[in-house]
Amino acid sequence: MRAVIGDDPALRAAYGLCRRRTREQDPAEYALIELVPAALRPACWALWAAANALDDLGDDRTAPAAERAARVEEWITALHRELPTGTSPDPIRHALVDTAARWRLDLSELHGAMVQVRDDTDGRHFADWAAWRTWGRDNLLPWFGQVRTLFDRAGVPVALRLDTRDTYEEFLDGVRLTDILTDLSADLAQGDLLLPEEALRPHPGAADDLAQRRWSPAVAALVTELTGLARRWVSQDGLSRGMHPGPATVLHTMAALLRAQLDAIGSAGPALLRRPPRPTLGTRARILVPARARAALAWSLTALTVPPARPAGHGSPPPADRTARGTRSFRPPPPHPDGHRPPDIPPDRLPAHVAVIMDGNGRWAEQRGLPRHEGHRAGATAVREVVHGALEIGLRHLTLYTFSTENWHRDPEEVDAILDLVRREVVDDPFRDLDVRLRWHGRTGRLPPDLSDLLDLRERGTRTRTGLTLTMCIDYGGRDELTRTAAALARRARAGHLDPDLIGEEDFARHLPRPDMPDVDLLWRTGDEQRISNFLPWHTAYAELHFTPDLWPDTDRRHLWQAITTYTHRQRRHGTVPAGT
């Protein structure tokens, strides 16, 4: 461990504590970490120990809920205060801030998951599986995202959702449900039942029996149903297809250990309500022994990029977006190079949602005798300018038509250049210090897996921001969106959840891929073309249209401000007659 961590005795002790905590409190997790290269293990121990330390603070029932919430908040605040220094008097946080500095991890992506632990001290209640999934995914995905980034930094990119993002998220649903069933006895002893009403409803009396820690036929049937559900969720055959054999071995072993744990839960019977069940040592050995051999072979053939240990007392660069409370205080966007300021428009006159068709990149390059991909590169600079202008004027939603379903028909070299440019922009994260919530909208199956994974990570990491929501439409087509929505409605109707004769606009809107996207108030297209090109047909039904001759790379924030000013001069009727007419 000395070669990996360095000679700082305090740091070595901190990582040693994280290792012991992992081994003692979660042997299965420790066994999985043993399957990754030795250079990555201390970081994994630090991440696991930090997550568990927060959970322990939130679950400590020797203190009232308000005090537990305050302790969790204090831990989070201390972490954000210590990140710039690269050290901490708390050994677990010391290891975590060193991991973040050494591997260049952005721990702001964990903030929402940490705050959720604080909020959970007041108890949790779930009406249905949808609410339960949101809770579980918001807690697990950021931590798993840090591990994915760790592998990326080591030179082993891990695209965890090669088919669809739902595959990976459903796998984590299985992880969460298995944990809840394993810890059922401890949770019930504290008065917690972390299952949705939708799961309990088909088993009358099960909730009361569980509250009394009484094994009954209803409880047995419920446990049988839930173990079967968790088994389906963790058995995702295509999850690791095309993945590097090292991470794939970790993932397969994790799934096998989860299935063994579910076997133990299923055979525990009434003892499930008294103590956590565990697989036998023989069962674990049958899974882990061959996994260790496969992992050792995979990593022996892999050249890793490992940053050197930091000298003792060496802090990380101070992040400029933290406050003492642990929340983000974002930087203002950089000013316009010529000092131009946005027009003074009252907030109630601003459009809530502006969508932009960024046309003219290729023509801009051809006019200058350049390859078309140079026009897309110049267009990326214009995107940054317009986002800065949107922040300055106070716009809430900005949606950009980045890559359409029809763009696949372009020359393959141009398509590759566009996707490579998008990938570089996402990696560079030019809006990391701005109050920008990044989302993407479109199909996932045809995009390169690493790109869809990066986009999803950025979306997860910025989901708690409250400023501008920037939606990048990538592999998006309006007719494709409507077709997928119709298919979703058909599936619901076939399952008996909807009456086809009663389907209305609200039902359709709820089944859109992005049901929370607001209607577009202003649709702006550059490049001197006057058509909407299959862009957001549902959301632009009542949008004001604004067409300008400038090619997109020649655009800056002043053009956005002019488009918004023009919008404020139009009379929005939505099919009505103005008063007094």
Side-chain angles (χ1 to χ4, degrees):
M1 194 166 66
R2 183 187 298 270
V4 177
I5 298 170
D7 294 323
D8 184 341
L11 192 57
R12 291 175 58 202
Y15 278 111
L17 175 62
C18 293
R19 179 181 186 175
R20 290 193 301 276
R21 289 276 185 94
T22 307
R23 185 175 58 236
E24 294 167 1
Q25 298 181 9
D26 195 341
E29 182 69 23
Y30 183 79
L32 288 172
I33 294 175
E34 288 292 291
L35 299 180
V36 308
L40 276 64
R41 291 174 195 167
C44 293
W45 300 330
L47 288 165
W48 186 92
N52 205 51
L54 270 178
D55 286 341
D56 287 347
L57 287 175
D59 290 340
D60 180 11
R61 296 309 174 100
T62 62
E67 184 177 337
R68 284 182 277 127
R71 290 175 181 175
V72 173
E73 176 67 20
E74 182 182 354
W75 198 97
I76 297 170
T77 301
L79 173 66
H80 290 309
R81 186 174 58 246
E82 293 157 358
L83 277 169
T85 71
T87 187
S88 170
D90 178 274
I92 290 177
R93 290 200 304 270
H94 189 185
L96 183 62
V97 297
D98 180 78
T99 291
R102 187 179 182 205
W103 292 96
R104 294 181 293 114
L105 302 182
D106 182 3
L107 297 190
S108 68
E109 296 174 359
L110 296 175
H111 184 72
M114 292 179 176
V115 169
Q116 186 187 86
V117 175
R118 180 199 65 196
D119 295 342
D120 284 350
T121 56
D122 287 330
R124 282 289 182 179
H125 174 266
F126 311 105
D128 51 30
W129 281 113
W132 181 90
R133 288 189 184 95
T134 298
W135 166 76
R137 293 175 182 183
D138 285 351
N139 181 265
L140 285 179
L141 276 166
W143 293 97
F144 275 74
Q146 294 294 314
V147 176
R148 188 212 66 85
T149 302
L150 184 66
F151 276 100
D152 281 353
R153 298 285 190 261
V156 187
V158 180
L160 291 170
R161 292 170 300 285
L162 297 185
D163 297 324
T164 64
R165 127 181 17 181
D166 290 343
T167 302
Y168 175 46
E169 294 187 347
E170 193 169 87
F171 177 80
L172 292 186
D173 292 343
V175 174
R176 170 62 72 188
L177 185 53
T178 303
D179 285 346
I180 288 173
L181 292 171
T182 299
D183 296 335
L184 194 59
S185 59
D187 289 341
L188 292 174
Q190 297 179 156
D192 293 331
L193 182 56
L194 301 176
L195 296 170
E197 286 185 8
E198 184 179 350
L200 298 167
R201 201 173 299 121
H203 304 280
D208 290 338
D209 290 333
L210 286 170
Q212 299 299 320
R213 305 181 71 181
R214 180 173 58 234
W215 189 259
S216 68
V219 170
L222 173 66
V223 170
T224 298
E225 179 180 312
L226 294 179
T227 53
L229 183 61
R231 190 179 303 278
R232 290 199 303 274
W233 285 344
V234 301
S235 301
Q236 302 284 353
D237 293 335
L239 190 59
S240 63
R241 188 178 300 121
M243 190 182 292
H244 182 283
T249 297
V250 176
L251 200 58
H252 290 155
T253 307
M254 183 177 185
L257 289 172
L258 287 166
R259 288 191 292 269
Q261 181 63 36
L262 290 166
D263 289 340
I265 292 168
S267 61
L272 182 65
L273 306 185
R274 297 194 299 272
R275 60 183 177 274
R278 300 296 179 193
T280 65
L281 291 177
T283 298
R284 285 167 48 85
R286 283 193 295 272
I287 295 170
L288 291 172
V289 170
R292 288 171 185 147
R294 290 195 300 271
L297 176 61
W299 295 122
S300 70
L301 302 174
T302 304
L304 298 176
T305 302
V306 180
R310 299 183 308 129
H314 182 72
S316 57
D321 56 356
R322 302 283 187 264
T323 68
R325 294 281 304 164
T327 57
R328 302 184 73 95
S329 59
F330 297 98
R331 294 173 177 163
H336 187 275
D338 295 331
H340 296 285
R341 298 292 303 157
D344 186 13
I345 299 175
D348 62 341
R349 297 287 294 162
L350 284 173
H353 186 184
V354 175
V356 186
I357 301 175
M358 306 177 291
D359 195 14
N361 289 334
R363 283 178 284 158
W364 183 90
E366 290 169 351
Q367 289 174 4
R368 289 159 176 76
L370 300 172
R372 288 179 61 87
H373 66 81
E374 290 297 332
H376 298 298
R377 189 188 306 275
T381 302
V383 167
R384 299 186 185 193
E385 251 295 292
V386 168
V387 169
H388 296 158
L391 285 165
E392 283 190 302
I393 203 170
L395 188 64
R396 303 298 298 171
H397 292 267
L398 177 66
T399 299
L400 305 179
Y401 207 0
T402 306
F403 187 85
S404 74
T405 51
E406 291 78 17
N407 287 155
W408 292 106
H409 301 303
R410 295 189 179 187
D411 182 270
E413 185 175 347
E414 182 178 358
V415 170
D416 289 344
I418 294 173
L419 296 181
D420 283 343
L421 178 62
V422 172
R423 184 183 291 106
R424 285 197 300 272
E425 286 293 294
V426 176
V427 170
D428 290 346
D429 195 11
F431 310 124
R432 68 170 64 87
D433 296 328
L434 306 178
D435 194 6
V436 176
R437 178 191 181 199
L438 180 65
R439 305 205 307 174
W440 71 295
H441 184 18
R443 299 188 69 95
T444 60
R446 291 186 293 189
L447 290 179
D450 67 313
L451 176 56
S452 63
D453 197 49
L454 282 168
L455 288 164
D456 189 51
L457 279 172
R458 286 288 174 262
E459 181 167 333
R460 289 275 171 188
T462 61
R463 70 189 184 281
T464 59
R465 301 186 185 186
T466 59
L468 173 70
T469 295
L470 174 64
T471 302
M472 311 292 289
C473 290
I474 304 174
D475 197 10
Y476 171 86
R479 287 184 173 180
D480 173 77
E481 178 182 32
L482 298 181
T483 301
R484 286 194 287 153
T485 303
L489 284 168
R491 287 191 294 269
R492 294 279 292 173
R494 184 174 59 188
H497 300 305
L498 283 175
D499 183 343
D501 294 325
L502 299 179
I503 292 175
E505 289 186 12
E506 291 184 358
D507 298 300
F508 195 93
R510 280 197 301 270
H511 289 81
L512 287 164
R514 286 291 189 185
D516 58 340
M517 177 182 282
D519 284 347
V520 174
D521 297 307
L522 172 62
L523 175 63
W524 168 31
R525 179 172 187 148
T526 64
D528 210 22
E529 300 288 352
Q530 298 189 16
R531 55 182 181 271
I532 65 172
S533 297
N534 198 24
F535 186 41
L536 299 176
W538 179 267
H539 302 86
T540 58
Y542 284 98
E544 297 293 326
L545 306 181
H546 182 71
F547 302 105
T548 56
D550 304 277
L551 303 179
W552 179 251
D554 292 325
T555 300
D556 71 9
R557 68 189 80 183
R558 291 171 297 175
H559 295 85
L560 172 68
W561 297 339
Q562 181 57 49
I564 291 174
T565 300
T566 300
Y567 167 88
T568 64
H569 295 156
R570 297 186 184 180
Q571 191 171 40
R572 304 274 285 162
R573 297 179 182 176
H574 296 287
T576 65
V577 177
T581 300

